[in-house]
Amino acid sequence: MAIRVYNTMTRTKEAFVPREPDTVAMYVCGPTVYNHIHIGNARTFLTFDVIRRYLEWRGFDVTFVQNITDVDDKIIRRAAEEGVSTAELAQTYTVAFRSAMDALGIEKPSRQPLATQTVPRMIAMVERLITSGHAYEVDGDVYFSVRSFPGYGKLSGRDINELESGARIEVDERKEDPLDFALWKAAKPGEPRWPSPWGEGRPGWHLECSVMSEQELGLPLDIHGGASDLIFPHHENERAQSEAASGTTFVKYWLHGGLLQVNAEKMSKSLGNFMFLKDVLAVYPASVVRLFMMQTHYRSPLEFSTDRLEEARTAYERIAGPLRDLEVAKRSRARERAEGSWTAGAWVSRLTKGIEDAKARFIEEMDDDFNTAGALAAVFGLVREMNAFMWEGPGIGAHGENLPVLERAAAGIKEPLDVLGIEIEAKATPASEYPPEIIELAVDYAGYDGTDGAEAVDALRKARDVARSQKNWVVADAMRDRLQELGLLVEDRPDGTHITYGR
RNA sequence: GGCGACGUCGCCAAGUGGCAAGGCAGAGGCCUGCAAAGCCUUUAUCCCCGGUUCGAAUCCGGGCGUCGCCUCCA
């Protein structure tokens, strides 16, 4: 029973065997902090958060490193537009990034180095590359020579010669080869700069990941992750630099996530079709967003839409249902339905099997390249079994004798969801959130004379039970309608009226 | 133009050689005073054509369509 992962380098699923048993060194490219991250960026971070959580759940000691690129062309441009320093701009969006990740329920990285604090090591790597003949300096710029690295193009499945013939990049005559990329850029007036053997300047893109990953984790990395649009040129170049400089394998398993799309088109800041993560989270709970994303395999493209999010919200409620029902049943202790063709014992056996099956299937699916969509099917299967037990089967039992198996079922639902970072809120709504109109309603229908929302709801609940016991359907239905207008859900259960709000 | 990926129920989406998961929506039934929730039942010759195989959604070839990368991009 081994974990298998799809490796971009080999284009196949491979057995996952880390460099050291029971530990995983994992690196995921972080953001360039020139703006808020959008929901497409978030998908990638979510993907690797779940991979990390799963590996940890399976017993690996995971060291998870994610860089923050806080010096870059886009930061320089944006800072100029806003009239702030690049450092200020980067600081602002670094804070925003961390806060957005936190809001999405992403576990904090083990370490999160900043590019600007790693410059001396970057310079050291560039020097190594120059010394070994893989890089050359021209007028204060330093370029990596792709022809000096025989495996160039292997990760992205490209051929250097074909790349050159199809290249759309403008040719810089100072480069020895059009595909050579900058390791170090001479500073222009007003740009952030660091002293170097080639004059004042700043690191090129790609370099920070090579340096920080090796510094924090050592080589080879077990897992290097990112979205598929980073395969070329970013990861190809990282790999060339790192392997040329170190002489060893850079990465054992390259994992790449599929892109989020809008109207069948990639979501990106340059296309302008994006939504900021923070704005989505203002409308949808993190668990709903996560469920939405987990319903598609991480390597597939995923169409973003609010319709899909609404569906995910409904699906989330389906999972939350039995967990809430159990909490309610525990409090009211009033359910028993024994009869029928099943004895309670047979129901308990069946639910017990459902719990075991769900766990086994969850592991099977997740072991197979982190198939969260399949893993969720296992969870939904157990949701169905638990619902059947509570509503068609013996329920909690006259004396609560079925509580243990129901608690195990609830745990069997919560545990895999926890691995996916999906929290199920099974608590009652705080009283302070009831709409103020509820008081007036309670005055009208229940003769309530206080000012407390929760008390008002309780008075209404009792009043409605009285009306129903007297078969006064007109009043009972009117109360239900009025409550629903205020957004409160009224359900008649075997033990009486239930009123819920804020789901 | 080059390279790569994908095309599965009304919508979304797992499944990569042995009778097609799951979610959302729809229909019917049970339960209910009526509802809600829940349970049960129900809908797929897996884009098209050809090939390999005892057997293919799954492998191979061709076609059509969509997307990504080749330039900053999670």
Side-chain angles (χ1 to χ4, degrees):
Chain A
M1 215 169 52
I3 296 176
R4 290 161 56 76
V5 301
Y6 183 89
N7 187 351
T8 304
M9 178 68 87
T10 58
R11 296 173 204 285
T12 54
K13 282 185 198 169
E14 300 174 8
F16 179 69
V17 182
R19 64 191 192 192
E20 289 171 37
D22 305 323
T23 68
V24 176
M26 187 171 172
Y27 184 90
V28 174
C29 287
T32 299
V33 283
Y34 69 104
N35 200 340
H36 294 287
I37 65 161
H38 62 62
I39 185 77
N41 304 131
R43 183 188 184 199
T44 299
F45 301 137
L46 198 46
T47 291
F48 289 99
D49 181 57
V50 168
I51 289 173
R52 173 201 190 172
R53 284 170 184 257
Y54 184 69
L55 291 172
E56 287 176 340
W57 185 72
R58 289 289 258 126
F60 290 96
D61 182 5
V62 180
T63 305
F64 182 96
V65 176
Q66 179 178 53
N67 64 292
I68 286 184
T69 299
D70 56 352
V71 55
D72 161 271
D73 292 351
K74 291 190 294 295
I75 293 174
I76 292 168
R77 193 184 329 130
R78 176 92 186 207
E81 284 167 11
E82 298 196 359
V84 298
S85 73
T86 55
E88 280 176 280
L89 185 89
Q91 171 67 14
T92 298
Y93 289 114
T94 298
V95 169
F97 169 69
R98 287 179 174 145
S99 137
M101 287 292 93
D102 202 44
L104 228 203
I106 305 279
E107 285 188 359
K108 284 186 174 47
S110 312
R111 289 189 286 283
Q112 193 172 51
L114 302 178
T116 53
Q117 293 179 358
T118 322
V119 174
R121 284 172 183 268
M122 295 193 212
I123 291 170
M125 180 176 279
V126 175
E127 288 186 303
R128 260 190 286 167
L129 288 167
I130 291 176
T131 305
S132 58
H134 291 290
Y136 54 92
E137 188 251 327
V138 183
D139 304 335
D141 291 343
V142 181
Y143 295 97
F144 183 89
S145 167
V146 297
R147 295 274 175 187
S148 76
F149 182 70
Y152 192 82
K154 192 178 167 210
L155 174 64
S156 55
R158 272 152 230 267
D159 179 275
I160 292 188
N161 300 311
E162 286 178 355
L163 273 172
E164 282 187 5
S165 58
R168 285 192 272 156
I169 45 178
E170 21 188 293
V171 177
D172 182 339
E173 294 299 336
R174 300 176 312 152
K175 292 186 190 175
E176 293 177 2
D177 189 290
L179 294 175
D180 290 349
F181 56 90
L183 295 168
W184 187 262
K185 297 180 173 185
K188 295 179 186 133
E191 289 185 350
R193 61 190 63 207
W194 288 261
S196 84
W198 319 284
E200 293 197 326
R202 59 195 171 90
W205 191 37
H206 320 304
L207 189 59
E208 78 277 22
C209 286
S210 283
V211 170
M212 289 190 263
S213 58
E214 181 173 359
Q215 169 190 322
E216 299 294 342
L217 295 164
L219 301 187
L221 312 177
D222 287 313
I223 291 174
H224 188 141
S228 56
D229 58 355
L230 290 184
I231 296 172
F232 190 90
H234 185 53
H235 286 166
E236 192 70 71
N237 291 353
E238 267 184 51
R239 175 173 170 269
Q241 291 165 351
S242 287
E243 299 202 347
S246 70
T248 65
T249 301
F250 179 40
V251 170
K252 292 195 71 175
Y253 304 96
W254 287 96
L255 271 50
H256 290 99
L259 302 176
L260 198 69
Q261 304 186 336
V262 175
N263 297 323
E265 201 176 42
K266 171 182 174 179
M267 176 181 284
S268 78
K269 282 172 186 159
S270 47
L271 289 171
N273 59 351
F274 59 88
M275 280 185 76
F276 288 135
L277 171 61
K278 68 186 178 73
D279 295 332
V280 174
L281 287 176
V283 182
Y284 294 93
S287 286
V288 169
V289 174
R290 295 181 76 114
L291 182 60
F292 159 68
M293 302 234 182
M294 293 301 114
Q295 284 185 301
T296 298
H297 185 92
Y298 77 89
R299 282 192 284 111
S300 299
L302 170 59
E303 176 78 17
F304 176 84
S305 80
T306 51
D307 283 354
R308 289 282 93 75
L309 275 166
E310 287 300 334
E311 286 179 13
R313 195 201 287 275
T314 307
Y316 174 88
E317 290 303 326
R318 175 160 172 77
I319 297 171
L323 301 180
R324 289 184 181 129
D325 291 341
L326 178 60
E327 292 307 306
V328 169
K330 275 158 67 178
R331 267 181 265 125
S332 68
R333 296 179 63 86
R335 295 208 10 77
E336 185 190 14
R337 320 166 44 99
E339 289 59 52
S341 56
W342 294 77
T343 65
W347 275 101
V348 170
S349 303
R350 174 175 149 180
L351 184 54
T352 300
K353 184 172 185 304
I355 295 165
E356 290 163 359
D357 289 351
K359 180 159 184 171
R361 181 167 178 202
F362 176 75
I363 291 172
E364 188 185 338
E365 298 283 7
M366 290 297 285
D367 274 4
D368 182 13
D369 196 29
F370 314 107
N371 186 351
T372 54
L376 281 170
V379 174
F380 281 108
L382 183 52
V383 164
R384 168 169 283 111
E385 289 299 324
M386 188 168 165
N387 276 327
F389 190 100
M390 285 200 290
W391 300 106
E392 308 301 315
I396 194 172
H399 309 288
E401 64 270 20
N402 295 326
L403 266 176
V405 72
L406 284 168
E407 297 279 18
R408 284 202 301 279
I413 290 169
K414 284 185 207 158
E415 186 175 5
L417 290 175
D418 187 55
V419 175
L420 302 180
I422 296 169
E423 282 179 39
I424 302 294
E425 187 59 62
K427 292 189 204 116
T429 303
S432 59
E433 289 185 24
Y434 289 109
E437 297 91 333
I438 200 77
I439 307 293
E440 192 183 333
L441 209 58
V443 171
D444 289 352
Y445 282 99
Y448 178 66
D449 61 359
T451 57
D452 182 80
E455 281 180 18
V457 168
D458 199 49
L460 284 162
R461 183 181 60 76
K462 287 178 177 156
R464 184 155 185 282
D465 275 339
V466 169
R468 290 186 69 229
S469 68
Q470 295 169 346
K471 298 195 188 301
N472 189 345
W473 309 130
V474 175
V475 168
D477 290 353
M479 287 176 74
R480 183 168 63 198
D481 291 344
R482 293 287 302 277
L483 282 161
Q484 282 177 349
E485 283 167 18
L486 295 178
L488 286 87
L489 179 66
V490 178
E491 295 172 298
D492 297 327
R493 304 229 175 175
D495 60 331
T497 294
H498 281 260
I499 301 176
T500 49
Y501 179 58
R503 284 194 177 181

